Amino acid sequence: MKVFKKFTATALTAIIVVTASFAGIAAAADSVKGKITVNGSTALLPLTLQAAKEFQKLHPKVKIAASGKGSVTGPQAVKKGIADIGACDWDASMDVPGFKAFDGQVANKVAVIPFATIVNKNVGVDSLTTEQLQGIFSGKTTNWKEVGGADADIVVITRAFGSGTRVNYQAKALAGGDITKKSKNYKETGSSGDMKTAVATTPNSIGYIDLVYVSGGDIKAVKFNGVAASTDNVINGSYKIWAYGYYMTKGQPTGVTKQFIEYVQSKKFQQGSLKKLKFIPIAAMK
Amino acid sequence: MGAPVHNLASRVKGSVTEVTADSKRHGRHLLSNTIFKYYFLFSILALCFVLGLVIIFIGKTALLLFGHISPADFFLSFNWTPEDEAFGAAAFIVNTLSLTAITLLIAVPISVGMAVLCAEIAPVWMKTFIRPVLDLLVGIPSIVYGYLGLTVLLPFLRQISGQSLGDGLLAAALVLALMVLPTICRISDDAIVSVPRKYRDAAYALGSTRLQVIVRVVLPAASRGIISAVILGMTRAVGETMAVVMVIGNTPQLAKTLFTPTSVLTSNIVMQISNVEFDSTWNYALHMMAFLLLIISFVLILIIRILGRKRRDAA
């Protein structure tokens, strides 16, 4: 028992000394070292990879391992201690439809992600209201002529339950409205890329996707309540379908993890690489 | 052929050292044989061990499910809405079985026909063209088939059927049939080629036509090989995921028509597993579905093996 106590004491002292010296070292710029593991959202992965590359260039002794799977795996990995940072497309420290809050986790805002409603190029409708979208995605509205289009069945394409894009789209565009499950003209896709291909190749289809994916002639973004989906309209507050991307950490971030998150949130990164990747800087939102 | 001469020479010389050299060589052979024997034994045991681990770990997580819901709910209910705590997998099970059946219905006649063509009828230049092409097809990653299905097959199906989506069992079965076709065809081909020449000669000597020889003699003689080919194709069809997930529609409902957007065990697992919390009933349910898939393919293999044996005994 005595030995054990002695050991604990020594260990504690060691930890304190190490932490103290670590804090001391952290003050001196170039000797920052450590290992960060990032897991979670695929939407935020390009941002994380770019930030990791730049951060490692600044601090060569830091190792950052990043991987993407799905939004909810981020906070889960943090909970299990597998990852230091869990990238997530929603604030996982609060309840969202389908997912309970992750207790004790802190959400650090790192980017703004805009989303867009997209339709196949053959669809004549240019603008849809919240009510119309609710009708379409819940399965009550089944023909394009009911929302001002041609006489044709609406094909609804959505993401699988638990996708960060779906969580945000449901919350913002459908104002929490339901997405149907069983219908003749309904299909689910596994990723943003599949969503884009499916809408591009299916006539009369409607779906939703990160705004950065909207390109090419086969799909078009429709206006939401009369407002066009664009980064400018997100920034000036008139386009409402957007969400913050978060880095979830167990408690407040510390040490090198904190420095990395601060780097991602820094003006230099937000205004530079992040904008180049077509995300919106968090500072742009008021 | 050299060894006896050498032996003779050494005996003629009668030298002791030569004899020990011979027994040494014999010893080396024995040793290497033993080493290889144990090496192969070890390989097989390692394989069994890994397979066992897979079954145990999937099964262990899967069985946790029944602490949360009853087996009857899982196997007999058609209601899969995990966000409302309803975990009925019956629709997926039925869909998986019907997808496999439809795939085989399409693929087996065509591929066995192609194998007969390749082995019995085609001129040499055609054989040397078809076989490498089929080998090439086996190597194409399944996601490529899926993408082609999504971008080429679905619009085509929409056009001819008048459906607005086109996703469903038929689309998936067509893609799968194309995928398993080279496998079944090439292995059946080998089986047919290895049927001894004398069987055919005897049948022709009795006055059979070519069709009679093929249907009555060659195919029954090659049936074991063809059945293994069908098994291999079938297991690929049951377990195939990436191609199916792109053309089946991923809607958890029973496929009442060939064009109902639907979901099978594999596609549902891959769509949901990454978005599910680790220690949830939902996660256990998905593991149970994986375990079930394992059992289904195992049972199907058994059934076909038994059928094959019966047919051989009857013949």
Side-chain angles (χ1 to χ4, degrees):
Chain A
M1 216 43 201
K2 216 174 181 184
V3 177
F4 182 68
K5 258 187 189 162
K6 206 173 176 185
F7 177 75
T8 320
T10 328
L12 271 177
T13 330
I15 288 172
I16 291 166
V17 169
V18 166
T19 321
S21 59
F22 202 84
I25 290 166
D30 236 322
S31 44
V32 181
K33 53 180 158 186
K35 214 176 149 227
I36 311 173
T37 312
V38 189
N39 201 339
S41 157
T42 44
L44 285 169
L45 188 62
L47 185 149
T48 309
L49 289 176
Q50 179 63 28
K53 214 163 84 186
E54 294 175 17
F55 192 72
Q56 279 167 321
K57 206 175 259 175
L58 284 176
H59 308 289
K61 282 179 185 161
V62 178
K63 284 216 164 60
I64 302 179
S67 65
K69 208 173 169 202
S71 271
V72 79
T73 53
Q76 270 179 21
V78 171
K79 186 179 166 191
K80 282 215 151 187
I82 302 167
D84 306 298
I85 295 176
C88 189
D89 294 1
W90 69 83
D91 183 350
S93 62
M94 295 192 297
D95 286 334
V96 297
F99 292 97
K100 286 195 288 287
F102 286 83
D103 289 331
Q105 295 200 11
V106 175
N108 306 276
K109 281 178 196 168
V110 289
V112 173
I113 315 168
F115 301 97
T117 310
I118 51 170
V119 293
N120 184 273
K121 63 169 186 290
N122 89 320
V123 174
V125 177
D126 283 319
S127 178
L128 290 166
T129 64
T130 309
E131 291 76 38
Q132 285 172 330
L133 287 174
Q134 281 172 341
I136 291 171
F137 280 98
S138 67
K140 286 186 199 87
T141 312
T142 56
N143 197 303
W144 279 111
K145 72 180 175 194
E146 294 170 60
V147 290
D151 182 8
D153 282 348
I154 298 176
V155 177
V156 174
I157 300 177
T158 81
R159 294 285 301 279
F161 184 84
S163 133
T165 307
R166 176 170 166 147
V167 166
N168 284 310
Y169 189 81
Q170 211 173 344
K172 305 282 166 54
L174 307 180
D178 280 340
I179 294 182
T180 174
K181 277 241 121 167
K182 296 172 177 70
S183 154
K184 189 164 69 75
N185 292 320
Y186 169 87
K187 104 175 219 177
E188 281 179 16
T189 54
S191 69
S192 298
D194 284 355
M195 167 68 87
K196 189 175 170 179
T197 315
V199 176
T201 55
T202 314
N204 304 311
S205 61
I206 183 167
Y208 49 85
I209 204 166
D210 299 16
L211 185 58
V212 295
Y213 282 96
V214 180
S215 61
D218 292 332
I219 56 169
K220 61 178 182 185
V222 293
K223 291 178 184 163
F224 178 61
N225 292 330
V227 184
S230 70
T231 46
D232 289 342
N233 284 340
V234 172
I235 293 168
N236 70 29
S238 53
Y239 185 76
K240 301 291 183 198
I241 317 177
W242 58 271
Y244 286 113
Y246 296 91
Y247 277 176
M248 306 301 302
T249 51
K250 204 173 226 165
Q252 288 295 337
T254 51
V256 68
T257 307
K258 182 174 182 215
Q259 288 190 325
F260 177 63
I261 293 177
E262 276 168 1
Y263 178 78
V264 175
Q265 291 168 334
S266 73
K267 202 170 173 193
K268 177 174 168 266
F269 184 77
Q270 294 270 324
Q271 297 297 334
S273 306
L274 183 134
K275 251 187 171 170
K276 245 179 253 157
L277 290 166
K278 293 187 187 167
F279 290 97
I280 301 172
I282 40 175
M285 308 308 301
K286 277 290 153 277
Chain B
M1 278 292 135
V5 176
H6 178 78
N7 270 350
L8 198 68
S10 67
R11 280 211 194 115
V12 169
K13 269 187 181 173
S15 104
V16 182
T17 48
E18 287 283 336
V19 172
T20 48
D22 251 17
S23 69
K24 253 187 195 165
R25 187 187 296 143
H26 181 64
R28 268 208 306 276
H29 279 292
L30 274 185
L31 185 68
S32 67
N33 279 353
T34 328
I35 289 176
F36 270 102
K37 191 181 110 190
Y38 282 111
Y39 171 70
F40 293 137
L41 196 69
F42 170 77
S43 310
I44 289 174
L45 284 180
L47 181 70
C48 292
F49 179 68
V50 172
L51 271 180
L53 281 187
V54 169
I55 294 174
I56 288 171
F57 279 116
I58 295 182
K60 216 175 77 183
T61 318
L63 288 175
L64 288 174
L65 174 72
F66 297 134
H68 296 254
I69 61 167
S70 74
D73 282 346
F74 183 77
F75 290 110
L76 301 177
S77 159
F78 284 87
N79 182 11
W80 175 267
T81 36
E83 56 271 35
D84 300 331
E85 302 288 311
F87 301 97
F92 303 122
I93 300 169
V94 175
N95 288 342
T96 299
L97 293 175
S98 32
L99 176 60
T100 309
I102 298 170
T103 305
L104 290 184
L105 276 181
I106 301 172
V108 170
I110 299 179
S111 47
V112 173
M114 278 175 73
V116 169
L117 174 87
C118 245
E120 297 284 305
I121 301 164
V124 176
W125 65 266
M126 202 192 260
K127 289 180 196 176
T128 50
F129 172 73
I130 294 179
R131 285 184 180 144
V133 166
L134 288 175
D135 289 342
L136 210 66
L137 284 177
V138 177
I140 294 177
S142 56
I143 191 111
V144 174
Y145 286 107
Y147 189 77
L148 285 178
L150 184 62
T151 53
V152 179
L153 179 67
L154 285 185
F156 175 71
L157 283 179
R158 257 172 234 141
Q159 227 165 35
I160 57 166
S161 69
Q163 299 281 329
S164 39
L165 203 50
D167 291 58
L169 286 187
L170 184 64
L174 285 173
V175 170
L176 281 183
L178 183 64
M179 284 182 58
V180 302
L181 199 131
T183 311
I184 303 182
C185 181
R186 284 296 277 126
I187 298 172
S188 311
D189 184 5
D190 287 344
I192 293 172
V193 167
S194 64
V195 172
R197 175 97 235 144
K198 58 185 179 190
Y199 287 18
R200 296 182 185 83
D201 291 343
Y204 281 127
L206 289 170
S208 313
T209 63
R210 189 189 234 178
L211 186 70
Q212 283 170 328
V213 171
I214 290 171
V215 176
R216 300 278 174 81
V217 178
V218 175
L219 284 183
S223 67
R224 266 173 73 80
I226 294 175
I227 284 166
S228 328
V230 172
I231 291 176
L232 275 175
M234 190 189 65
T235 44
R236 192 169 183 196
V238 170
E240 176 48 43
T241 315
M242 292 324 290
V244 171
V245 86
M246 296 180 89
V247 295
I248 201 158
N250 304 312
T251 310
Q253 58 189 351
L254 187 68
K256 293 195 181 92
T257 73
L258 287 177
F259 289 105
T260 313
T262 179
S263 214
V264 290
L265 289 168
T266 51
S267 67
N268 192 60
I269 295 171
V270 78
M271 286 291 289
Q272 303 194 331
I273 195 82
S274 61
N275 291 325
V276 171
E277 289 173 51
F278 290 135
D279 292 316
S280 60
T281 319
W282 192 349
N283 187 23
Y284 300 149
L286 290 178
H287 272 83
M288 193 67 212
M289 286 166 68
F291 192 54
L292 206 61
L293 202 62
L294 215 79
I295 294 171
I296 287 179
S297 46
F298 185 66
V299 168
L300 285 179
I301 290 170
L302 270 186
I303 291 174
I304 291 204
R305 285 253 182 233
I306 291 167
L307 284 182
R309 195 158 297 158
K310 266 194 190 141
R311 199 204 271 164
R312 200 165 53 108
D313 293 345

